[in-house]
Amino acid sequence: MQNLPKKVRSKKLSTRVDLTAMVSVSFLLIIFFMVTIELAKPSVLEYGTPDCDDCGETFGCNMPDENRSMTILLDDNNKLITYCGLLSYPVDAPREVHYGKNGIRQELLERKKKVYEYSASRGKPGRGVTVIIKPSKNSNYGNLVEILDEMKITGISSYLIVDYYTPEESKLLASK
């Protein structure tokens, strides 16, 4: 018999796979999806419907309580005009005020106090003032930020920014 070369057998390596990293990644993915699902839940915004004693039990009454509303008109050159109620029948007549703690901040704090007293006298304590902020096309962004800062400082949480001026408000800005 002839010497045949021996077959060289390769050494078999272990087929184990280390899954430690896979477990870590799976836990991270589970945590990520749990957080995103929690953040994606719809949140409900409390919509304050106006108080209306004159309407009786009418559902969806749309008559605002002008004693609880205050409008701030912003214009160029740091011009700031406030009035309370409706412009055609204002609770407080339109007047020009200045920025700062002796100007608009004092005005907001006084109005807030009056509205809380008014609401308490009507048997609905805790109802605060609603401020309507109307920046004109000529006003600058800094003035809007200052008014929003004043809302935060005075603790008024019910405010809205509207970019629509009525013709009467436009005339008021042009005259003052």
Side-chain angles (χ1 to χ4, degrees):
M1 245 179 129
Q2 213 177 18
N3 278 343
L4 293 173
K6 291 185 178 179
K7 287 188 179 178
V8 178
R9 292 198 172 223
S10 62
K11 188 176 181 183
K12 290 190 178 183
L13 299 175
S14 172
T15 57
R16 288 189 58 202
V17 178
D18 187 17
L19 295 177
T20 307
M22 189 65 157
V23 171
S24 299
V25 168
S26 63
F27 278 117
L28 286 174
L29 284 172
I30 289 170
I31 291 170
F32 171 76
F33 286 119
M34 287 173 56
V35 169
T36 54
I37 287 171
E38 189 65 33
L39 293 176
K41 286 183 180 175
S43 59
V44 177
L45 179 65
E46 190 72 31
Y47 179 68
T49 55
D51 300 332
C52 187
D53 295 334
D54 300 334
C55 300
E57 294 297 319
T58 306
F59 180 73
C61 173
N62 218 8
M63 293 179 61
D65 188 357
E66 63 272 356
N67 291 307
R68 291 183 46 225
S69 69
M70 178 179 187
T71 304
I72 300 174
L73 306 175
L74 307 175
D75 204 12
D76 60 346
N77 299 326
N78 296 331
K79 193 175 188 181
L80 191 66
I81 298 175
T82 65
Y83 66 90
C84 298
L86 302 173
L87 188 56
S88 52
Y89 303 103
V91 175
D92 288 342
R95 62 181 175 187
E96 191 169 341
V97 295
H98 301 284
Y99 290 94
K101 73 176 190 178
N102 294 330
I104 188 64
R105 187 177 306 163
Q106 183 177 359
E107 189 80 22
L108 288 168
L109 288 172
E110 288 174 3
R111 190 71 203 154
K112 181 180 172 182
K113 183 180 175 185
K114 285 181 186 177
V115 168
Y116 275 123
E117 290 171 357
Y118 166 79
S119 296
S121 70
R122 307 253 316 187
K124 297 177 181 173
R127 300 273 174 122
V129 64
T130 300
V131 178
I132 303 167
I133 303 168
K134 293 187 174 186
S136 71
K137 294 186 189 309
N138 300 331
S139 67
N140 61 34
Y141 184 72
N143 290 346
L144 180 61
V145 170
E146 283 186 52
I147 288 297
L148 294 177
D149 287 343
E150 294 296 337
M151 295 294 123
K152 181 81 171 171
I153 291 168
T154 56
I156 297 174
S157 60
S158 178
Y159 60 88
L160 61 134
I161 301 170
V162 180
D163 63 349
Y164 172 74
Y165 271 82
T166 63
E168 295 84 13
E169 290 170 335
S170 299
K171 289 178 190 175
L172 178 66
L173 281 175
S175 69
K176 293 226 174 193

